[in-house]
Amino acid sequence: MYEGGDLICNALTIQQGFDPYSEFPHLFLPEKPTELPLLKEPMEIMQHKIKVIEGAEWYLNYISSYDRFHNQITEKINKELETGRIILSKSLNIIIMFTQPKKDGKKARFLLNYIPRNLKTHKARMPMASINQIIDWLASKKFKSKLDLTDGYHNIRHHPDSVKHSIFSCHIRKFNSLVMQQGDCNAPATMMRAMNWLLREFLGKTVMVYLADILIGNNTYEEHVQIVKAVLKTLEKAKM
């Protein structure tokens, strides 16, 4: 699913004969996805594993019964339960959900304190292009587009063996997440691995990937339209 407002281009306009919003309307939704993403193959690439050090435990004893955004937390939990993205947990461990206000001061940004678990998790590494490399690459291209994966990390499922480690708690009770979270250790590496695998046919030639951002660059309009369509079809097939 892609943010409609985040398709940025200097050539792809309806007047020039290509309208991605009309050709791929289900990929450009105004709202976040409301369903649990499918388990994707190959599992070792397209799913997130939480490799906790054997025998490690983490316990936090404090759970706040009050939060400024108490009602928004309740609304979020209810939606996540309805979509199947979270399930009730019986774990003895506790990872606290807390909030910070967004710029408007009225809406909450939901955060998970996974530091205690992450400190006891095996670390993964994945190469990623630097911002300067991306800027230099884009500067050499005449036609450019950017696709931003909506709710990016939540498009990646936890490996079934890792769900038990995806605990978080709030004033309602404890839950396990079936999808990758922002605070997960190695989440950026998993995201890069998954996107590089999906778009391996285009990487280094006409596409650059930075986490959930897909950058497309070409020197002719015809080729640019062709590649944008091919990338969208690839993502559509992968149900991303």
Side-chain angles (χ1 to χ4, degrees), residues 172-209:
I172 300 174
R173 63 162 296 164
K174 290 185 288 186
F175 303 93
N176 286 104
S177 175
L178 272 66
V179 296
M180 192 166 68
Q181 299 290 335
Q182 287 281 355
D184 279 337
C185 183
N186 302 323
T190 296
M191 195 72 203
M192 284 300 301
R193 185 174 65 243
M195 297 303 289
N196 285 347
W197 172 258
L198 287 176
L199 301 174
R200 60 192 182 279
E201 177 184 350
F202 313 102
L203 284 181
K205 306 171 188 175
T206 56
V207 171
M208 293 279 278
V209 173

PDB file of all heavy atoms in Angstrom, residues 172-209:
ATOM      1  N   ILE A 172      -4.606  -1.890  29.110  1.00  0.00           N
ATOM      2  CA  ILE A 172      -5.623  -2.916  28.884  1.00  0.00           C
ATOM      3  C   ILE A 172      -5.122  -4.273  29.339  1.00  0.00           C
ATOM      4  O   ILE A 172      -5.722  -4.935  30.175  1.00  0.00           O
ATOM      5  CB  ILE A 172      -6.030  -2.952  27.399  1.00  0.00           C
ATOM      6  CG1 ILE A 172      -6.612  -1.589  26.974  1.00  0.00           C
ATOM      7  CG2 ILE A 172      -7.051  -4.066  27.142  1.00  0.00           C
ATOM      8  CD1 ILE A 172      -6.909  -1.475  25.512  1.00  0.00           C
ATOM      9  N   ARG A 173      -3.977  -4.718  28.772  1.00  0.00           N
ATOM     10  CA  ARG A 173      -3.308  -5.953  29.150  1.00  0.00           C
ATOM     11  C   ARG A 173      -2.100  -6.167  28.241  1.00  0.00           C
ATOM     12  O   ARG A 173      -1.680  -5.239  27.554  1.00  0.00           O
ATOM     13  CB  ARG A 173      -4.260  -7.153  29.130  1.00  0.00           C
ATOM     14  CG  ARG A 173      -4.841  -7.498  27.777  1.00  0.00           C
ATOM     15  CD  ARG A 173      -5.386  -8.924  27.789  1.00  0.00           C
ATOM     16  NE  ARG A 173      -4.316  -9.905  28.009  1.00  0.00           N
ATOM     17  CZ  ARG A 173      -4.551 -11.173  28.363  1.00  0.00           C
ATOM     18  NH1 ARG A 173      -5.784 -11.585  28.571  1.00  0.00           N
ATOM     19  NH2 ARG A 173      -3.542 -12.011  28.517  1.00  0.00           N
ATOM     20  N   LYS A 174      -1.567  -7.386  28.186  1.00  0.00           N
ATOM     21  CA  LYS A 174      -0.397  -7.677  27.358  1.00  0.00           C
ATOM     22  C   LYS A 174      -0.817  -8.323  26.038  1.00  0.00           C
ATOM     23  O   LYS A 174      -1.786  -9.070  25.972  1.00  0.00           O
ATOM     24  CB  LYS A 174       0.564  -8.608  28.103  1.00  0.00           C
ATOM     25  CG  LYS A 174       1.252  -7.948  29.279  1.00  0.00           C
ATOM     26  CD  LYS A 174       2.269  -8.851  29.911  1.00  0.00           C
ATOM     27  CE  LYS A 174       1.618  -9.982  30.680  1.00  0.00           C
ATOM     28  NZ  LYS A 174       2.600 -10.794  31.422  1.00  0.00           N
ATOM     29  N   PHE A 175      -0.020  -8.031  24.984  1.00  0.00           N
ATOM     30  CA  PHE A 175      -0.313  -8.529  23.647  1.00  0.00           C
ATOM     31  C   PHE A 175       0.976  -9.010  22.970  1.00  0.00           C
ATOM     32  O   PHE A 175       2.078  -8.638  23.360  1.00  0.00           O
ATOM     33  CB  PHE A 175      -0.956  -7.436  22.786  1.00  0.00           C
ATOM     34  CG  PHE A 175      -2.214  -6.872  23.368  1.00  0.00           C
ATOM     35  CD1 PHE A 175      -2.181  -5.740  24.179  1.00  0.00           C
ATOM     36  CD2 PHE A 175      -3.442  -7.462  23.104  1.00  0.00           C
ATOM     37  CE1 PHE A 175      -3.340  -5.222  24.723  1.00  0.00           C
ATOM     38  CE2 PHE A 175      -4.610  -6.950  23.639  1.00  0.00           C
ATOM     39  CZ  PHE A 175      -4.558  -5.821  24.457  1.00  0.00           C
ATOM     40  N   ASN A 176       0.800  -9.816  21.933  1.00  0.00           N
ATOM     41  CA  ASN A 176       1.884 -10.160  21.021  1.00  0.00           C
ATOM     42  C   ASN A 176       1.539  -9.589  19.650  1.00  0.00           C
ATOM     43  O   ASN A 176       0.378  -9.633  19.232  1.00  0.00           O
ATOM     44  CB  ASN A 176       2.062 -11.671  20.896  1.00  0.00           C
ATOM     45  CG  ASN A 176       2.717 -12.273  22.119  1.00  0.00           C
ATOM     46  OD1 ASN A 176       2.047 -12.894  22.929  1.00  0.00           O
ATOM     47  ND2 ASN A 176       4.012 -12.081  22.273  1.00  0.00           N
ATOM     48  N   SER A 177       2.549  -9.076  18.966  1.00  0.00           N
ATOM     49  CA  SER A 177       2.344  -8.526  17.630  1.00  0.00           C
ATOM     50  C   SER A 177       2.726  -9.555  16.573  1.00  0.00           C
ATOM     51  O   SER A 177       3.779 -10.188  16.672  1.00  0.00           O
ATOM     52  CB  SER A 177       3.181  -7.261  17.438  1.00  0.00           C
ATOM     53  OG  SER A 177       3.082  -6.792  16.108  1.00  0.00           O
ATOM     54  N   LEU A 178       1.884  -9.702  15.569  1.00  0.00           N
ATOM     55  CA  LEU A 178       2.180 -10.606  14.459  1.00  0.00           C
ATOM     56  C   LEU A 178       2.935  -9.894  13.341  1.00  0.00           C
ATOM     57  O   LEU A 178       3.350 -10.524  12.375  1.00  0.00           O
ATOM     58  CB  LEU A 178       0.892 -11.218  13.905  1.00  0.00           C
ATOM     59  CG  LEU A 178       0.421 -12.511  14.593  1.00  0.00           C
ATOM     60  CD1 LEU A 178       0.009 -12.245  16.031  1.00  0.00           C
ATOM     61  CD2 LEU A 178      -0.730 -13.146  13.838  1.00  0.00           C
ATOM     62  N   VAL A 179       3.098  -8.569  13.449  1.00  0.00           N
ATOM     63  CA  VAL A 179       3.816  -7.794  12.434  1.00  0.00           C
ATOM     64  C   VAL A 179       4.992  -7.071  13.064  1.00  0.00           C
ATOM     65  O   VAL A 179       5.014  -6.803  14.263  1.00  0.00           O
ATOM     66  CB  VAL A 179       2.880  -6.782  11.731  1.00  0.00           C
ATOM     67  CG1 VAL A 179       1.786  -7.496  10.974  1.00  0.00           C
ATOM     68  CG2 VAL A 179       2.273  -5.802  12.731  1.00  0.00           C
ATOM     69  N   MET A 180       5.974  -6.757  12.256  1.00  0.00           N
ATOM     70  CA  MET A 180       7.185  -6.085  12.714  1.00  0.00           C
ATOM     71  C   MET A 180       6.849  -4.689  13.223  1.00  0.00           C
ATOM     72  O   MET A 180       5.998  -3.995  12.672  1.00  0.00           O
ATOM     73  CB  MET A 180       8.184  -6.013  11.556  1.00  0.00           C
ATOM     74  CG  MET A 180       9.576  -5.596  11.956  1.00  0.00           C
ATOM     75  SD  MET A 180      10.769  -5.930  10.645  1.00  0.00           S
ATOM     76  CE  MET A 180      10.241  -4.758   9.384  1.00  0.00           C
ATOM     77  N   GLN A 181       7.535  -4.280  14.297  1.00  0.00           N
ATOM     78  CA  GLN A 181       7.316  -2.973  14.908  1.00  0.00           C
ATOM     79  C   GLN A 181       8.547  -2.087  14.743  1.00  0.00           C
ATOM     80  O   GLN A 181       9.659  -2.573  14.548  1.00  0.00           O
ATOM     81  CB  GLN A 181       6.997  -3.143  16.403  1.00  0.00           C
ATOM     82  CG  GLN A 181       5.748  -3.948  16.694  1.00  0.00           C
ATOM     83  CD  GLN A 181       4.471  -3.225  16.322  1.00  0.00           C
ATOM     84  OE1 GLN A 181       4.433  -1.995  16.270  1.00  0.00           O
ATOM     85  NE2 GLN A 181       3.406  -3.979  16.054  1.00  0.00           N
ATOM     86  N   GLN A 182       8.326  -0.772  14.869  1.00  0.00           N
ATOM     87  CA  GLN A 182       9.419   0.183  14.700  1.00  0.00           C
ATOM     88  C   GLN A 182      10.570  -0.070  15.659  1.00  0.00           C
ATOM     89  O   GLN A 182      11.722   0.112  15.325  1.00  0.00           O
ATOM     90  CB  GLN A 182       8.892   1.617  14.906  1.00  0.00           C
ATOM     91  CG  GLN A 182       8.027   2.144  13.776  1.00  0.00           C
ATOM     92  CD  GLN A 182       8.846   2.621  12.591  1.00  0.00           C
ATOM     93  OE1 GLN A 182      10.073   2.654  12.641  1.00  0.00           O
ATOM     94  NE2 GLN A 182       8.179   2.994  11.512  1.00  0.00           N
ATOM     95  N   GLY A 183      10.264  -0.490  16.887  1.00  0.00           N
ATOM     96  CA  GLY A 183      11.313  -0.658  17.880  1.00  0.00           C
ATOM     97  C   GLY A 183      12.013  -1.994  17.848  1.00  0.00           C
ATOM     98  O   GLY A 183      12.919  -2.239  18.657  1.00  0.00           O
ATOM     99  N   ASP A 184      11.627  -2.882  16.932  1.00  0.00           N
ATOM    100  CA  ASP A 184      12.235  -4.209  16.877  1.00  0.00           C
ATOM    101  C   ASP A 184      13.707  -4.128  16.501  1.00  0.00           C
ATOM    102  O   ASP A 184      14.075  -3.464  15.526  1.00  0.00           O
ATOM    103  CB  ASP A 184      11.518  -5.091  15.851  1.00  0.00           C
ATOM    104  CG  ASP A 184      10.240  -5.699  16.386  1.00  0.00           C
ATOM    105  OD1 ASP A 184      10.115  -5.825  17.614  1.00  0.00           O
ATOM    106  OD2 ASP A 184       9.366  -6.060  15.579  1.00  0.00           O
ATOM    107  N   CYS A 185      14.540  -4.825  17.266  1.00  0.00           N
ATOM    108  CA  CYS A 185      15.947  -4.944  16.900  1.00  0.00           C
ATOM    109  C   CYS A 185      16.051  -5.624  15.539  1.00  0.00           C
ATOM    110  O   CYS A 185      15.348  -6.599  15.271  1.00  0.00           O
ATOM    111  CB  CYS A 185      16.666  -5.776  17.963  1.00  0.00           C
ATOM    112  SG  CYS A 185      18.429  -5.950  17.705  1.00  0.00           S
ATOM    113  N   ASN A 186      16.896  -5.103  14.678  1.00  0.00           N
ATOM    114  CA  ASN A 186      17.143  -5.636  13.332  1.00  0.00           C
ATOM    115  C   ASN A 186      16.009  -5.348  12.341  1.00  0.00           C
ATOM    116  O   ASN A 186      16.049  -5.850  11.209  1.00  0.00           O
ATOM    117  CB  ASN A 186      17.397  -7.153  13.365  1.00  0.00           C
ATOM    118  CG  ASN A 186      18.560  -7.527  14.250  1.00  0.00           C
ATOM    119  OD1 ASN A 186      19.557  -6.822  14.308  1.00  0.00           O
ATOM    120  ND2 ASN A 186      18.431  -8.637  14.968  1.00  0.00           N
ATOM    121  N   ALA A 187      15.010  -4.562  12.731  1.00  0.00           N
ATOM    122  CA  ALA A 187      13.912  -4.252  11.817  1.00  0.00           C
ATOM    123  C   ALA A 187      14.398  -3.550  10.539  1.00  0.00           C
ATOM    124  O   ALA A 187      13.960  -3.906   9.434  1.00  0.00           O
ATOM    125  CB  ALA A 187      12.846  -3.407  12.509  1.00  0.00           C
ATOM    126  N   PRO A 188      15.302  -2.562  10.615  1.00  0.00           N
ATOM    127  CA  PRO A 188      15.804  -1.953   9.375  1.00  0.00           C
ATOM    128  C   PRO A 188      16.483  -2.958   8.450  1.00  0.00           C
ATOM    129  O   PRO A 188      16.308  -2.910   7.229  1.00  0.00           O
ATOM    130  CB  PRO A 188      16.792  -0.888   9.877  1.00  0.00           C
ATOM    131  CG  PRO A 188      16.328  -0.563  11.255  1.00  0.00           C
ATOM    132  CD  PRO A 188      15.825  -1.859  11.810  1.00  0.00           C
ATOM    133  N   ALA A 189      17.252  -3.892   9.037  1.00  0.00           N
ATOM    134  CA  ALA A 189      17.929  -4.905   8.222  1.00  0.00           C
ATOM    135  C   ALA A 189      16.911  -5.811   7.540  1.00  0.00           C
ATOM    136  O   ALA A 189      17.057  -6.161   6.360  1.00  0.00           O
ATOM    137  CB  ALA A 189      18.868  -5.738   9.092  1.00  0.00           C
ATOM    138  N   THR A 190      15.862  -6.192   8.267  1.00  0.00           N
ATOM    139  CA  THR A 190      14.816  -7.029   7.671  1.00  0.00           C
ATOM    140  C   THR A 190      14.100  -6.288   6.552  1.00  0.00           C
ATOM    141  O   THR A 190      13.822  -6.865   5.490  1.00  0.00           O
ATOM    142  CB  THR A 190      13.792  -7.455   8.742  1.00  0.00           C
ATOM    143  OG1 THR A 190      14.447  -8.268   9.715  1.00  0.00           O
ATOM    144  CG2 THR A 190      12.650  -8.245   8.128  1.00  0.00           C
ATOM    145  N   MET A 191      13.820  -5.001   6.768  1.00  0.00           N
ATOM    146  CA  MET A 191      13.122  -4.217   5.749  1.00  0.00           C
ATOM    147  C   MET A 191      13.960  -4.105   4.483  1.00  0.00           C
ATOM    148  O   MET A 191      13.457  -4.286   3.366  1.00  0.00           O
ATOM    149  CB  MET A 191      12.813  -2.822   6.295  1.00  0.00           C
ATOM    150  CG  MET A 191      11.795  -2.043   5.483  1.00  0.00           C
ATOM    151  SD  MET A 191      10.139  -2.716   5.678  1.00  0.00           S
ATOM    152  CE  MET A 191       9.360  -2.131   4.185  1.00  0.00           C
ATOM    153  N   MET A 192      15.252  -3.825   4.640  1.00  0.00           N
ATOM    154  CA  MET A 192      16.130  -3.707   3.484  1.00  0.00           C
ATOM    155  C   MET A 192      16.258  -5.048   2.760  1.00  0.00           C
ATOM    156  O   MET A 192      16.244  -5.099   1.525  1.00  0.00           O
ATOM    157  CB  MET A 192      17.509  -3.222   3.912  1.00  0.00           C
ATOM    158  CG  MET A 192      17.583  -1.743   4.241  1.00  0.00           C
ATOM    159  SD  MET A 192      17.136  -0.667   2.847  1.00  0.00           S
ATOM    160  CE  MET A 192      18.331  -1.158   1.617  1.00  0.00           C
ATOM    161  N   ARG A 193      16.380  -6.118   3.511  1.00  0.00           N
ATOM    162  CA  ARG A 193      16.510  -7.441   2.905  1.00  0.00           C
ATOM    163  C   ARG A 193      15.272  -7.787   2.086  1.00  0.00           C
ATOM    164  O   ARG A 193      15.365  -8.283   0.960  1.00  0.00           O
ATOM    165  CB  ARG A 193      16.737  -8.489   3.999  1.00  0.00           C
ATOM    166  CG  ARG A 193      17.002  -9.890   3.476  1.00  0.00           C
ATOM    167  CD  ARG A 193      17.368 -10.848   4.597  1.00  0.00           C
ATOM    168  NE  ARG A 193      16.261 -11.043   5.526  1.00  0.00           N
ATOM    169  CZ  ARG A 193      16.289 -10.694   6.808  1.00  0.00           C
ATOM    170  NH1 ARG A 193      17.357 -10.119   7.315  1.00  0.00           N
ATOM    171  NH2 ARG A 193      15.253 -10.922   7.587  1.00  0.00           N
ATOM    172  N   ALA A 194      14.091  -7.500   2.641  1.00  0.00           N
ATOM    173  CA  ALA A 194      12.841  -7.812   1.948  1.00  0.00           C
ATOM    174  C   ALA A 194      12.668  -6.970   0.687  1.00  0.00           C
ATOM    175  O   ALA A 194      12.325  -7.492  -0.382  1.00  0.00           O
ATOM    176  CB  ALA A 194      11.663  -7.593   2.893  1.00  0.00           C
ATOM    177  N   MET A 195      12.937  -5.668   0.785  1.00  0.00           N
ATOM    178  CA  MET A 195      12.741  -4.778  -0.366  1.00  0.00           C
ATOM    179  C   MET A 195      13.779  -5.081  -1.452  1.00  0.00           C
ATOM    180  O   MET A 195      13.460  -5.056  -2.649  1.00  0.00           O
ATOM    181  CB  MET A 195      12.830  -3.322   0.073  1.00  0.00           C
ATOM    182  CG  MET A 195      11.738  -2.902   1.056  1.00  0.00           C
ATOM    183  SD  MET A 195      10.070  -3.180   0.425  1.00  0.00           S
ATOM    184  CE  MET A 195       9.978  -1.921  -0.828  1.00  0.00           C
ATOM    185  N   ASN A 196      15.015  -5.363  -1.050  1.00  0.00           N
ATOM    186  CA  ASN A 196      16.047  -5.704  -2.033  1.00  0.00           C
ATOM    187  C   ASN A 196      15.706  -6.997  -2.768  1.00  0.00           C
ATOM    188  O   ASN A 196      15.954  -7.126  -3.971  1.00  0.00           O
ATOM    189  CB  ASN A 196      17.413  -5.840  -1.360  1.00  0.00           C
ATOM    190  CG  ASN A 196      18.015  -4.500  -0.982  1.00  0.00           C
ATOM    191  OD1 ASN A 196      17.550  -3.449  -1.422  1.00  0.00           O
ATOM    192  ND2 ASN A 196      19.035  -4.535  -0.145  1.00  0.00           N
ATOM    193  N   TRP A 197      15.132  -7.935  -2.063  1.00  0.00           N
ATOM    194  CA  TRP A 197      14.741  -9.203  -2.687  1.00  0.00           C
ATOM    195  C   TRP A 197      13.611  -8.971  -3.690  1.00  0.00           C
ATOM    196  O   TRP A 197      13.671  -9.446  -4.817  1.00  0.00           O
ATOM    197  CB  TRP A 197      14.321 -10.205  -1.623  1.00  0.00           C
ATOM    198  CG  TRP A 197      13.722 -11.463  -2.187  1.00  0.00           C
ATOM    199  CD1 TRP A 197      12.394 -11.783  -2.250  1.00  0.00           C
ATOM    200  CD2 TRP A 197      14.421 -12.552  -2.803  1.00  0.00           C
ATOM    201  NE1 TRP A 197      12.216 -13.001  -2.852  1.00  0.00           N
ATOM    202  CE2 TRP A 197      13.445 -13.502  -3.203  1.00  0.00           C
ATOM    203  CE3 TRP A 197      15.761 -12.835  -3.030  1.00  0.00           C
ATOM    204  CZ2 TRP A 197      13.782 -14.699  -3.829  1.00  0.00           C
ATOM    205  CZ3 TRP A 197      16.096 -14.020  -3.658  1.00  0.00           C
ATOM    206  CH2 TRP A 197      15.118 -14.942  -4.047  1.00  0.00           C
ATOM    207  N   LEU A 198      12.596  -8.225  -3.279  1.00  0.00           N
ATOM    208  CA  LEU A 198      11.450  -7.996  -4.157  1.00  0.00           C
ATOM    209  C   LEU A 198      11.846  -7.237  -5.420  1.00  0.00           C
ATOM    210  O   LEU A 198      11.342  -7.523  -6.513  1.00  0.00           O
ATOM    211  CB  LEU A 198      10.361  -7.207  -3.410  1.00  0.00           C
ATOM    212  CG  LEU A 198       9.565  -7.952  -2.348  1.00  0.00           C
ATOM    213  CD1 LEU A 198       8.608  -7.003  -1.642  1.00  0.00           C
ATOM    214  CD2 LEU A 198       8.796  -9.119  -2.960  1.00  0.00           C
ATOM    215  N   LEU A 199      12.745  -6.270  -5.273  1.00  0.00           N
ATOM    216  CA  LEU A 199      13.091  -5.397  -6.388  1.00  0.00           C
ATOM    217  C   LEU A 199      14.474  -5.698  -6.962  1.00  0.00           C
ATOM    218  O   LEU A 199      15.085  -4.848  -7.612  1.00  0.00           O
ATOM    219  CB  LEU A 199      13.018  -3.937  -5.927  1.00  0.00           C
ATOM    220  CG  LEU A 199      11.642  -3.497  -5.406  1.00  0.00           C
ATOM    221  CD1 LEU A 199      11.701  -2.096  -4.830  1.00  0.00           C
ATOM    222  CD2 LEU A 199      10.583  -3.575  -6.499  1.00  0.00           C
ATOM    223  N   ARG A 200      14.966  -6.904  -6.746  1.00  0.00           N
ATOM    224  CA  ARG A 200      16.319  -7.272  -7.172  1.00  0.00           C
ATOM    225  C   ARG A 200      16.535  -7.107  -8.673  1.00  0.00           C
ATOM    226  O   ARG A 200      17.657  -6.839  -9.115  1.00  0.00           O
ATOM    227  CB  ARG A 200      16.625  -8.722  -6.757  1.00  0.00           C
ATOM    228  CG  ARG A 200      15.688  -9.765  -7.340  1.00  0.00           C
ATOM    229  CD  ARG A 200      15.879 -11.113  -6.649  1.00  0.00           C
ATOM    230  NE  ARG A 200      15.042 -12.174  -7.209  1.00  0.00           N
ATOM    231  CZ  ARG A 200      13.765 -12.352  -6.911  1.00  0.00           C
ATOM    232  NH1 ARG A 200      13.148 -11.527  -6.061  1.00  0.00           N
ATOM    233  NH2 ARG A 200      13.080 -13.346  -7.455  1.00  0.00           N
ATOM    234  N   GLU A 201      15.474  -7.241  -9.460  1.00  0.00           N
ATOM    235  CA  GLU A 201      15.581  -7.118 -10.914  1.00  0.00           C
ATOM    236  C   GLU A 201      15.961  -5.704 -11.344  1.00  0.00           C
ATOM    237  O   GLU A 201      16.578  -5.504 -12.389  1.00  0.00           O
ATOM    238  CB  GLU A 201      14.243  -7.507 -11.553  1.00  0.00           C
ATOM    239  CG  GLU A 201      14.185  -7.367 -13.055  1.00  0.00           C
ATOM    240  CD  GLU A 201      12.805  -7.669 -13.618  1.00  0.00           C
ATOM    241  OE1 GLU A 201      11.947  -8.178 -12.866  1.00  0.00           O
ATOM    242  OE2 GLU A 201      12.588  -7.384 -14.815  1.00  0.00           O
ATOM    243  N   PHE A 202      15.611  -4.711 -10.516  1.00  0.00           N
ATOM    244  CA  PHE A 202      15.803  -3.309 -10.901  1.00  0.00           C
ATOM    245  C   PHE A 202      16.938  -2.611 -10.148  1.00  0.00           C
ATOM    246  O   PHE A 202      17.385  -1.537 -10.562  1.00  0.00           O
ATOM    247  CB  PHE A 202      14.511  -2.515 -10.629  1.00  0.00           C
ATOM    248  CG  PHE A 202      13.268  -3.186 -11.122  1.00  0.00           C
ATOM    249  CD1 PHE A 202      12.426  -3.860 -10.245  1.00  0.00           C
ATOM    250  CD2 PHE A 202      12.925  -3.159 -12.468  1.00  0.00           C
ATOM    251  CE1 PHE A 202      11.265  -4.484 -10.689  1.00  0.00           C
ATOM    252  CE2 PHE A 202      11.773  -3.788 -12.924  1.00  0.00           C
ATOM    253  CZ  PHE A 202      10.947  -4.450 -12.032  1.00  0.00           C
ATOM    254  N   LEU A 203      17.389  -3.183  -9.054  1.00  0.00           N
ATOM    255  CA  LEU A 203      18.343  -2.506  -8.175  1.00  0.00           C
ATOM    256  C   LEU A 203      19.651  -2.159  -8.880  1.00  0.00           C
ATOM    257  O   LEU A 203      20.199  -2.960  -9.639  1.00  0.00           O
ATOM    258  CB  LEU A 203      18.664  -3.375  -6.954  1.00  0.00           C
ATOM    259  CG  LEU A 203      17.590  -3.446  -5.861  1.00  0.00           C
ATOM    260  CD1 LEU A 203      18.080  -4.331  -4.732  1.00  0.00           C
ATOM    261  CD2 LEU A 203      17.242  -2.068  -5.330  1.00  0.00           C
ATOM    262  N   GLY A 204      20.136  -0.945  -8.589  1.00  0.00           N
ATOM    263  CA  GLY A 204      21.412  -0.510  -9.130  1.00  0.00           C
ATOM    264  C   GLY A 204      21.341  -0.020 -10.560  1.00  0.00           C
ATOM    265  O   GLY A 204      22.297   0.549 -11.074  1.00  0.00           O
ATOM    266  N   LYS A 205      20.221  -0.236 -11.209  1.00  0.00           N
ATOM    267  CA  LYS A 205      20.053   0.203 -12.596  1.00  0.00           C
ATOM    268  C   LYS A 205      19.089   1.381 -12.660  1.00  0.00           C
ATOM    269  O   LYS A 205      19.463   2.486 -13.053  1.00  0.00           O
ATOM    270  CB  LYS A 205      19.523  -0.953 -13.442  1.00  0.00           C
ATOM    271  CG  LYS A 205      20.360  -2.232 -13.371  1.00  0.00           C
ATOM    272  CD  LYS A 205      19.639  -3.377 -14.065  1.00  0.00           C
ATOM    273  CE  LYS A 205      20.355  -4.699 -13.838  1.00  0.00           C
ATOM    274  NZ  LYS A 205      19.596  -5.842 -14.420  1.00  0.00           N
ATOM    275  N   THR A 206      17.858   1.112 -12.256  1.00  0.00           N
ATOM    276  CA  THR A 206      16.823   2.148 -12.345  1.00  0.00           C
ATOM    277  C   THR A 206      16.117   2.386 -11.018  1.00  0.00           C
ATOM    278  O   THR A 206      15.240   3.239 -10.936  1.00  0.00           O
ATOM    279  CB  THR A 206      15.770   1.756 -13.394  1.00  0.00           C
ATOM    280  OG1 THR A 206      15.235   0.467 -13.064  1.00  0.00           O
ATOM    281  CG2 THR A 206      16.376   1.705 -14.779  1.00  0.00           C
ATOM    282  N   VAL A 207      16.500   1.641  -9.976  1.00  0.00           N
ATOM    283  CA  VAL A 207      15.828   1.729  -8.674  1.00  0.00           C
ATOM    284  C   VAL A 207      16.852   1.748  -7.546  1.00  0.00           C
ATOM    285  O   VAL A 207      17.844   1.025  -7.569  1.00  0.00           O
ATOM    286  CB  VAL A 207      14.856   0.544  -8.478  1.00  0.00           C
ATOM    287  CG1 VAL A 207      14.328   0.501  -7.043  1.00  0.00           C
ATOM    288  CG2 VAL A 207      13.688   0.623  -9.456  1.00  0.00           C
ATOM    289  N   MET A 208      16.588   2.606  -6.553  1.00  0.00           N
ATOM    290  CA  MET A 208      17.341   2.604  -5.296  1.00  0.00           C
ATOM    291  C   MET A 208      16.323   2.449  -4.177  1.00  0.00           C
ATOM    292  O   MET A 208      15.214   2.989  -4.244  1.00  0.00           O
ATOM    293  CB  MET A 208      18.109   3.912  -5.116  1.00  0.00           C
ATOM    294  CG  MET A 208      19.229   4.117  -6.110  1.00  0.00           C
ATOM    295  SD  MET A 208      20.743   3.242  -5.668  1.00  0.00           S
ATOM    296  CE  MET A 208      21.447   4.378  -4.482  1.00  0.00           C
ATOM    297  N   VAL A 209      16.705   1.714  -3.135  1.00  0.00           N
ATOM    298  CA  VAL A 209      15.806   1.487  -2.005  1.00  0.00           C
ATOM    299  C   VAL A 209      16.462   1.985  -0.729  1.00  0.00           C
ATOM    300  O   VAL A 209      17.644   1.731  -0.481  1.00  0.00           O
ATOM    301  CB  VAL A 209      15.458  -0.011  -1.862  1.00  0.00           C
ATOM    302  CG1 VAL A 209      14.653  -0.256  -0.584  1.00  0.00           C
ATOM    303  CG2 VAL A 209      14.677  -0.498  -3.069  1.00  0.00           C
TER     304      VAL A 209
END
